[in-house]
């Protein structure tokens, strides 16, 4: 649980337990928030977006005659 919790699907009690832990443990909540922000910043750069867009456009144009 570096930046979040994994909870089983369709188990409201598990989600409630995870949320209560975050409500009660401010340091954990703050650390997970910081880690999530860092992960987002690493994964969603302009270069990453440009590479993904280039890849999507290239694959959609493959085999087409212009």
């Amino acid at each position: 649980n570096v930046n979040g919790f994994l909870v089983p699907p369709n188990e409201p009690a598990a989600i409630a337990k995870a949320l209560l832990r975050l409500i009660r443990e401010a340091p954990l909540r703050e650390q997970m928030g910081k880690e999530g922000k860092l992960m987002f910043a690493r994964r969603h750069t302009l270069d990453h977006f440009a590479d993904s867009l280039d890849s999507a456009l290239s694959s959609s144009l493959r085999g087409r005659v212009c």
Side-chain angles (χ1 to χ4, degrees):
N1 52 326
V2 171
N3 59 16
F5 293 113
L6 288 177
V7 294
N10 301 316
E11 289 196 26
I15 296 169
K17 184 178 177 182
L19 289 173
L20 284 172
R21 186 168 174 205
L22 288 176
I23 290 167
R24 292 178 178 144
E25 298 180 34
L28 176 64
R29 183 175 62 243
E30 291 166 7
Q31 184 61 33
M32 283 186 171
K34 288 177 186 175
E35 292 295 332
K37 186 175 180 179
L38 287 172
M39 184 180 75
F40 181 87
R42 284 191 301 265
R43 291 185 179 182
H44 299 283
T45 64
L46 186 56
D47 287 339
H48 184 265
F49 173 76
D51 290 343
S52 296
L53 182 60
D54 181 58
S55 177
L57 291 173
S58 294
S59 67
S60 69
L61 294 175
R62 227 175 262 127
R64 292 183 183 211
V65 178
C66 295

